[in-house]
Amino acid sequence: MPLKACTVVVHDLYGTAHSPNVTAETLYEAVAQAIATVQGHEWVGDIGKGLSTVSVKVRNPEVTHIVKIQDFENWLNRGSKSPADTALKARLRMMVGTGKR
């Protein structure tokens, strides 16, 4: 898949929106990159889980996707259908800090 430039909006538990720009091949890769970017940043509070949402705006052509953190985490922890899918999920788990280092 080709890389796409995205602006991702992640809200912390204080309700503050954080909008990192990322480049990703897939929707969930964009979510993982954004979470990894804002986690632990001194200006960002804790990021919600479960039904908290992340908004991904893909540029050129512009499309916005809304993803529940719960759906992202369920996909990340679900079995893989191919070696490429296994590798992607392992890389994204490492990116968001849920994989073995």
Side-chain angles (χ1 to χ4, degrees):
M1 289 186 147
L3 290 172
K4 299 192 181 292
C6 307
T7 300
V8 183
V9 180
V10 179
H11 290 86
D12 63 25
L13 293 179
Y14 298 109
T16 304
H18 306 278
S19 303
N21 292 310
V22 301
T23 304
E25 288 184 355
T26 68
L27 174 62
Y28 284 155
E29 182 179 4
V31 171
Q33 285 187 30
I35 290 170
T37 299
V38 301
Q39 273 181 339
H41 190 281
E42 62 187 61
W43 291 358
V44 179
D46 290 335
I47 303 301
K49 301 282 184 190
L51 300 178
S52 298
T53 59
V54 175
S55 172
V56 179
K57 183 181 289 186
V58 179
R59 297 188 298 273
N60 197 19
E62 190 167 299
V63 178
T64 301
H65 305 274
I66 309 289
V67 176
K68 291 180 187 148
I69 297 290
Q70 175 179 323
D71 292 341
F72 167 67
E73 289 176 341
N74 287 343
W75 172 84
L76 199 57
N77 294 318
R78 200 168 35 235
S80 300
K81 297 178 181 177
S82 69
D85 195 35
T86 300
L88 172 64
K89 288 181 178 185
R91 184 168 57 86
L92 299 185
R93 278 192 290 275
M94 291 289 289
M95 190 179 295
V96 298
T98 62
K100 294 178 183 173
R101 296 193 183 235

